[in-house]
Amino acid sequence: MEGITLQVDESDTHLSVQIRPAELQSKLDIKSLHNILRDSEFADFYISDDATLTLLSNLQKSIKSESDEPVMERVGERRQNSVKCKLEDGKLSATMTITKGYGAPALTVQSLIADAKNSKIVRGLSSKRVYALHETFQVAKSGETVSAIIAKGLPAKTGRSSKLQPLVQNALERILRPQTANHGRVDMRNLGDIICVKVGSELLRRLPPSNGRAGYTVTGEIIKPKAGEWLTLHPGDGTAISEKDENLLIAEISGMPKFKDQKMWVDDTYICKGVNVGTGNVNYNGAVLVNGDITEKMEIIATGDVTVNGFVESATIHAGGDIIITEGAMGKVNDAGTQYSTVLRAKGSIHIQHGQGLDIKCDGGVTIGRQLAFSKVVCRKEMYVGPVDKPNGNLFACSIFSQNRVQAGTFGAVSGSNLTIDFSEGFNTLLARKDSLDELVRQIRQNCSRHQDRMKIIHSKFIPDDLRGKVNAAQEMFDNENQLMQWLEQKAVELAANKDDYQQSIMIMANKRIYPGVVVKLNNRTWRAEREFSKANVSFHGHQWNCEPVTT
């Protein structure tokens, strides 16, 4: 536009506008001046609104005074890009922040990497991250700021704590892992010797903790790791720490070893060749090992494991640990199917090679070697009929009350005899706990809301010095109540998640087939096999039971 000259100073930094009033051909306002600057070679300069207003004000004064002197004002400048690197998280990461300048020369990825190295960022620098930040910078407008993490260090890894390694197997573990015969084959009948240790036998070794892994910062400093902690070795009943090795636990008495929940102990073991009328019932404070049969109407009550290396017929066994029957168990059932002559009760798990007419109840899981029929089972953990790695046994004419999945080869029989698998008990227990906790949370939440309103009223009033202590005590009680409410709310969330997990985990898995007459229940949700199914899983999702074939 005639009468207007744009020029920069010798440093090529500051932009000035010179206006000659006599040469202007039209009225000049702020909008037209900005258009002139935008269409010029200095369009990317920083323009000061205050300076342009001052320039136009001086122009108006010059026009009114009819002066021919040019009006000149510095209205803009070239501003360089700003690149800063900040170390964070104890120098474990570095963030680069770029403020895009006005009329500044273009930045390159190489220059950004050089800036990072100048900031002593020498390790963990990612060229991909710098490139992505540069791409973002390219499309940013002048004056905008972009930032991203461009380097990451490696935190030191704390060493693994010492580990307890049992040197002997639990009896149930040995039973469930048949012995290897010649040429690597597994002999399903050879279940190994029942383990009984002698005094001085090595039971448990405490492995040393690891030293951990060193880390480094983005500036190249090495972060020393913290070594793992030594677990305290607590000798259980019948065990002692070896005098020669503080990391070794040995047997102090002869008996049956047991390792559970990171604890090792030895049960004093009563060993007999059978339990019958001649020997009488057995009531023993420890483990019981029967190398023979248990005959009709006999009883065994033990605080530890009960292992029967034989057959059980119409007998009663109560164990404070596991019950292991290496052969079979047989009992009679009344016509109503409510009374069984063979009763097995265990605080742990129960293993039977095959069974019929049994009343089984345990806090752990149930494993059946081959077949179970005309029995009642109540268990909390998984139930397997057949080898644990691939159950292929038969389960029919039973009532199963489980809180976890049930796996077998065949469910039901060709005859269509009823087989009921009910998962309701565990679910109802969770629901009852959840409802009770939800009601408690509701009451405490109401109390907290009421107390919060009262505390606000108290704090809004003038509090004399002699009452300040009581107010502080009331505030502390309110804070504790609020913390309790938050803790209970978290527990309520966990219980709701447990309820969902329970519904996802319950199922029956048939590795061969499911015959008609099989019924699966979760309260009023029932699935009934109306026809024969080949290999399939019956699971609960979408608030209903679904039978899905298994093709693999």
Side-chain angles (χ1 to χ4, degrees):
M1 184 175 181
E2 294 185 6
I4 299 177
T5 303
L6 306 179
Q7 60 185 19
V8 293
D9 60 5
E10 295 179 355
S11 64
D12 195 31
T13 302
H14 300 98
L15 172 66
S16 297
V17 176
Q18 185 185 67
I19 303 175
R20 295 177 296 278
E23 298 180 12
L24 291 176
Q25 297 179 347
S26 61
K27 183 178 179 182
L28 183 66
D29 56 16
I30 186 72
K31 183 177 180 181
S32 57
L33 180 57
H34 278 166
N35 289 336
I36 293 171
L37 293 171
R38 185 190 61 196
D39 295 336
S40 71
E41 58 181 309
F42 310 107
D44 52 358
F45 271 49
Y46 173 76
I47 305 300
S48 170
D49 290 338
D50 291 339
T52 53
L53 290 174
T54 300
L55 175 64
L56 293 176
S57 176
N58 292 336
L59 175 62
Q60 294 300 321
K61 292 178 181 178
S62 179
I63 292 173
K64 287 182 180 180
S65 63
E66 298 181 352
S67 173
D68 293 332
E69 294 293 326
V71 178
M72 187 172 183
E73 187 72 29
R74 181 184 292 176
V75 298
E77 63 182 2
R78 190 191 303 275
R79 291 186 176 181
Q80 299 300 320
N81 298 310
S82 172
V83 181
K84 296 181 180 179
C85 294
K86 181 181 179 181
L87 303 180
E88 298 175 326
D89 300 329
K91 299 182 180 180
L92 282 174
S93 66
T95 299
M96 177 175 282
T97 301
I98 308 174
T99 301
K100 193 166 187 178
Y102 293 81
L107 288 176
T108 64
V109 173
Q110 290 73 19
S111 66
L112 295 179
I113 292 177
D115 288 335
K117 291 181 177 179
N118 291 335
S119 299
K120 298 181 179 180
I121 300 172
V122 296
R123 293 201 68 178
L125 181 61
S126 170
S127 58
K128 290 183 179 180
R129 292 176 182 269
V130 176
Y131 181 82
L133 177 61
H134 182 264
E135 290 290 310
T136 306
F137 165 78
Q138 292 284 74
V139 297
K141 297 180 180 179
S142 296
E144 288 186 352
T145 298
V146 295
S147 63
I149 295 176
I150 60 168
K152 287 188 176 182
L154 180 68
K157 184 177 181 180
T158 303
R160 173 184 49 79
S161 298
S162 58
K163 185 179 179 181
L164 302 182
Q165 181 184 51
L167 304 178
V168 292
Q169 288 180 313
N170 290 341
L172 183 58
E173 293 173 355
R174 190 171 179 86
I175 292 299
L176 295 178
R177 190 177 293 111
Q179 306 302 297
T180 302
N182 295 332
H183 308 295
R185 294 183 178 180
V186 174
D187 185 357
M188 299 303 294
R189 296 185 179 182
N190 178 15
L191 300 176
D193 297 328
I194 301 300
I195 299 173
C196 279
V197 297
K198 297 179 181 179
V199 176
S201 297
E202 296 182 355
L203 304 175
L204 182 75
R205 178 167 292 281
R206 180 175 60 177
L207 302 177
S210 64
N211 294 325
R213 183 203 63 206
Y216 57 82
T217 66
V218 294
T219 57
E221 300 169 6
I222 300 300
I223 305 174
K224 293 182 178 180
K226 182 180 178 182
E229 297 181 355
W230 282 92
L231 294 178
T232 304
L233 198 57
H234 296 291
D237 294 340
T239 68
I241 298 176
S242 172
E243 295 179 357
K244 299 179 180 180
D245 188 349
E246 64 179 3
N247 296 315
L248 182 64
L249 205 63
I250 61 175
E252 203 171 34
I253 62 173
S254 297
M256 189 174 294
K258 190 70 178 288
F259 181 72
K260 186 178 181 181
D261 298 331
Q262 298 297 299
K263 295 179 181 178
M264 173 68 76
W265 69 92
V266 177
D267 285 327
D268 190 15
T269 306
Y270 173 77
I271 304 176
C272 60
K273 293 184 179 180
V275 177
N276 47 51
V277 177
T279 63
N281 295 329
V282 176
N283 192 330
Y284 194 71
N285 185 18
V288 173
L289 172 58
V290 181
N291 287 317
D293 299 334
I294 302 177
T295 60
E296 190 172 359
K297 296 184 180 180
M298 303 309 298
E299 291 185 359
I300 295 180
I301 300 176
T303 59
D305 294 350
V306 175
T307 304
V308 182
N309 202 8
F311 192 82
V312 176
E313 181 180 0
S314 297
T316 299
I317 301 176
H318 289 254
D322 301 330
I323 294 177
I324 302 167
I325 303 173
T326 61
E327 294 297 332
M330 182 74 70
K332 300 174 183 177
V333 189
N334 65 354
D335 294 337
T338 56
Q339 294 182 352
Y340 301 80
S341 61
T342 296
V343 178
L344 305 177
R345 298 287 185 266
K347 294 292 185 181
S349 299
I350 293 178
H351 170 80
I352 307 167
Q353 197 62 10
H354 59 85
Q356 181 173 316
L358 312 180
D359 183 359
I360 298 173
K361 186 175 183 179
C362 64
D363 292 339
V366 174
T367 55
I368 309 296
R370 292 192 294 271
Q371 178 173 290
L372 182 67
F374 303 101
S375 300
K376 176 184 176 182
V377 177
V378 179
C379 62
R380 294 185 178 179
K381 296 184 179 179
E382 290 185 330
M383 179 176 178
Y384 298 91
V385 184
V388 174
D389 56 345
K390 189 173 182 180
N392 57 7
N394 302 320
L395 180 65
F396 61 92
C398 293
S399 296
I400 310 297
F401 300 88
S402 178
Q403 298 182 26
N404 212 311
R405 66 183 61 188
V406 179
Q407 301 186 52
T410 301
F411 286 85
V414 178
S415 62
S417 57
N418 289 331
L419 170 63
T420 302
I421 303 165
D422 195 337
F423 296 99
S424 303
E425 183 178 354
F427 187 70
N428 291 336
T429 300
L430 281 174
L431 284 180
R433 290 173 57 192
K434 183 179 182 301
D435 291 343
S436 299
L437 189 57
D438 288 344
E439 177 62 21
L440 182 60
V441 169
R442 186 187 65 80
Q443 293 177 0
I444 293 182
R445 187 181 290 119
Q446 289 179 350
N447 292 340
C448 279
S449 178
R450 186 172 65 255
H451 294 160
Q452 184 178 25
D453 293 340
R454 292 182 179 179
M455 291 304 300
K456 286 182 179 179
I457 294 174
I458 291 174
H459 286 301
S460 66
K461 305 294 184 181
F462 172 75
I463 303 173
D465 293 339
D466 57 341
L467 294 179
R468 177 66 62 181
K470 292 184 177 180
V471 172
N472 292 338
Q475 182 65 47
E476 183 178 358
M477 291 178 63
F478 171 72
D479 292 340
N480 292 337
E481 184 182 44
N482 194 45
Q483 291 178 2
L484 175 62
M485 182 188 70
Q486 294 176 2
W487 182 81
L488 289 174
E489 287 176 340
Q490 179 61 34
K491 291 299 178 183
V493 171
E494 292 176 3
L495 268 181
N498 290 342
K499 187 191 75 170
D500 295 336
D501 292 342
Y502 185 93
Q503 294 179 86
Q504 293 177 5
S505 64
I506 56 175
M507 66 172 63
I508 69 169
M509 303 176 66
N511 292 316
K512 288 184 178 179
R513 61 184 59 85
I514 301 175
Y515 283 111
V518 176
V519 177
V520 186
K521 292 183 178 181
L522 179 62
N523 291 336
N524 60 346
R525 302 290 183 179
T526 302
W527 179 87
R528 184 184 299 274
E530 302 292 350
R531 62 177 179 86
E532 181 179 334
F533 295 86
S534 57
K535 190 175 181 181
N537 295 335
V538 179
S539 57
F540 190 85
H541 53 84
H543 302 289
Q544 63 182 359
W545 290 104
N546 299 273
C547 182
E548 301 172 351
V550 178
T551 57
T552 56

